[in-house]
Amino acid sequence: MSSEPDDVTAPVLLITGASTGIGAATARLARQQGWRLVLAARSADKLEALAEELGGPEHALAVECDVTDWDAQQRMVQRALDAFEGLDAAFANAGFGGARGFLKDTPERWREMVLTNVYGAALTIRATIPALTSSQGHLVLTSSVAGRRVLPGSFYSVTKHAVTAMGEAARQDLHGTGIRVTLIEPGMVDTPFFENKPTDALEGEDIARAVLFALSQPAHVDVNEILVRPTAQQG
Ligand SMILES: NC(=O)c1ccc[n+]([C@@H]2O[C@H](COP(=O)([O-])OP(=O)(O)OC[C@H]3O[C@@H](n4cnc5c(N)ncnc54)[C@H](OP(=O)(O)O)[C@@H]3O)[C@@H](O)[C@H]2O)c1
């Protein structure tokens, strides 16, 4: 990747949950397609390594951010604006899963899951709306197949149903601003999301292509939802 500064007109994509998995794969593909990037997550070391791989801060800015922290999300957006003077798209992607069964995970883990998957995504929307209004930009949210169908005992599925609702609520709320809203609903993807490597799963790049497909449409086209399963996944 070139380390020459980009054209200042190159569009800017902010990704939460950019340190690994789907977020990191989307950052790599977006960079190849000419986007400048703001990479956000809690793991500063992984973000810095990825930003370096993508050409350094002229092209990819690493911003440590816990999405459950409103002040941190506001600082993240301010860092993006200070570095790149605008924001063309935001990908609210940070999230994690858990064990199925209402007697399995601890109440504290449920609390963290709601704060990250639901509250965190809502805060990213809230923090980026002013900049996306200025750019008539694009908001992308990672829900899941689990946000479309209920899985037995899955509290994660409950949080992802909330994200699915959030995407549609935001789309209607932002009507008239020019901001487009896309919900990405992956099936099983081989990422650190799983403790044990899944078989017959998608790769992060498969979801990255879906994100970039939505982002690359003309301004009058809003791809509202993309549901992507591995061919081998039944439910
Ligand atoms: N893998 C799948 O099969 C699958 C399927 C459907 C949907 N999804 C969704 O896809 C999204 C990305 O997951 P993934 O599969 O790519 O898993 P992953 O590799 O574990 O990525 C999760 C990302 O979220 C970040 N994150 C977690 N908690 C955070 C917090 N409080 N603040 C900021 N960042 C946080 C992690 O970074 P740090 O730990 O560095 O903060 C990491 O970058 C999630 O929303 C997940 O629910 C995954």
Side-chain angles (χ1 to χ4, degrees), residues 16-23 40-43 46 65-68 93-97 112 116-117 142-145 156 160 185-194:
T16 70
S19 59
T20 55
I22 292 167
R42 294 165 303 179
S43 306
K46 289 182 189 156
C65 174
D66 183 334
V67 295
T68 67
N93 167 71
F96 69 90
E112 279 307 308
T116 305
N117 297 4
T142 307
S143 178
S144 171
V145 166
Y156 172 71
K160 288 300 183 180
E185 299 162 318
M188 188 176 281
V189 188
D190 181 5
T191 71
F193 179 92
F194 294 104

Side-chain angles (χ1 to χ4, degrees), residues 4-226:
E4 290 298 309
D6 278 327
D7 186 326
V8 288
T9 60
V12 178
L13 168 63
L14 179 152
I15 303 174
T16 70
S19 59
T20 55
I22 292 167
T26 302
R28 289 188 174 99
L29 186 62
R31 183 71 204 106
Q32 282 172 25
Q33 297 187 10
W35 289 78
R36 292 179 291 171
L37 292 151
V38 180
L39 309 170
R42 294 165 303 179
S43 306
D45 51 345
K46 289 182 189 156
L47 294 177
E48 290 292 353
L50 181 59
E52 192 58 31
E53 176 194 325
L54 299 182
E58 301 275 4
H59 309 276
L61 180 72
V63 180
E64 189 176 342
C65 174
D66 183 334
V67 295
T68 67
D69 179 341
W70 173 231
D71 289 342
Q73 291 237 23
Q74 290 177 285
R75 284 196 300 275
M76 168 186 77
V77 172
Q78 194 55 53
R79 289 274 312 277
L81 297 178
D82 290 346
F84 297 134
E85 293 180 4
L87 199 58
D88 298 282
F91 183 22
N93 167 71
F96 69 90
R100 292 187 198 165
F102 275 80
L103 295 178
K104 289 280 169 55
D105 277 339
T106 61
E108 183 49 37
R109 191 165 162 93
W110 283 354
R111 181 182 155 82
E112 279 307 308
M113 207 187 288
V114 171
L115 289 176
T116 305
N117 297 4
V118 183
Y119 181 65
L123 291 182
T124 303
I125 294 173
R126 188 180 185 104
T128 56
I129 282 176
L132 294 178
T133 302
S134 297
S135 62
Q136 300 207 316
H138 201 142
L139 189 60
V140 183
L141 308 179
T142 307
S143 178
S144 171
V145 166
R148 289 274 292 253
R149 53 181 287 268
V150 175
L151 304 172
S154 171
F155 193 71
Y156 172 71
S157 160
V158 174
T159 67
K160 288 300 183 180
H161 273 71
V163 177
T164 300
M166 202 182 312
E168 177 60 11
R171 189 189 69 76
Q172 293 189 33
D173 186 40
L174 297 172
H175 178 76
T177 64
I179 299 176
R180 291 174 283 165
V181 181
T182 300
L183 201 63
I184 304 290
E185 299 162 318
M188 188 176 281
V189 188
D190 181 5
T191 71
F193 179 92
F194 294 104
E195 274 178 31
N196 301 313
K197 186 177 171 62
T199 51
D200 295 329
L202 299 168
E203 300 294 332
E205 303 80 69
D206 298 320
I207 303 305
R209 286 197 306 280
V211 174
L212 269 298
F213 171 78
L215 291 177
S216 63
Q217 298 307 305
H220 69 286
V221 179
D222 185 355
V223 178
N224 298 147
E225 293 186 53
I226 306 181

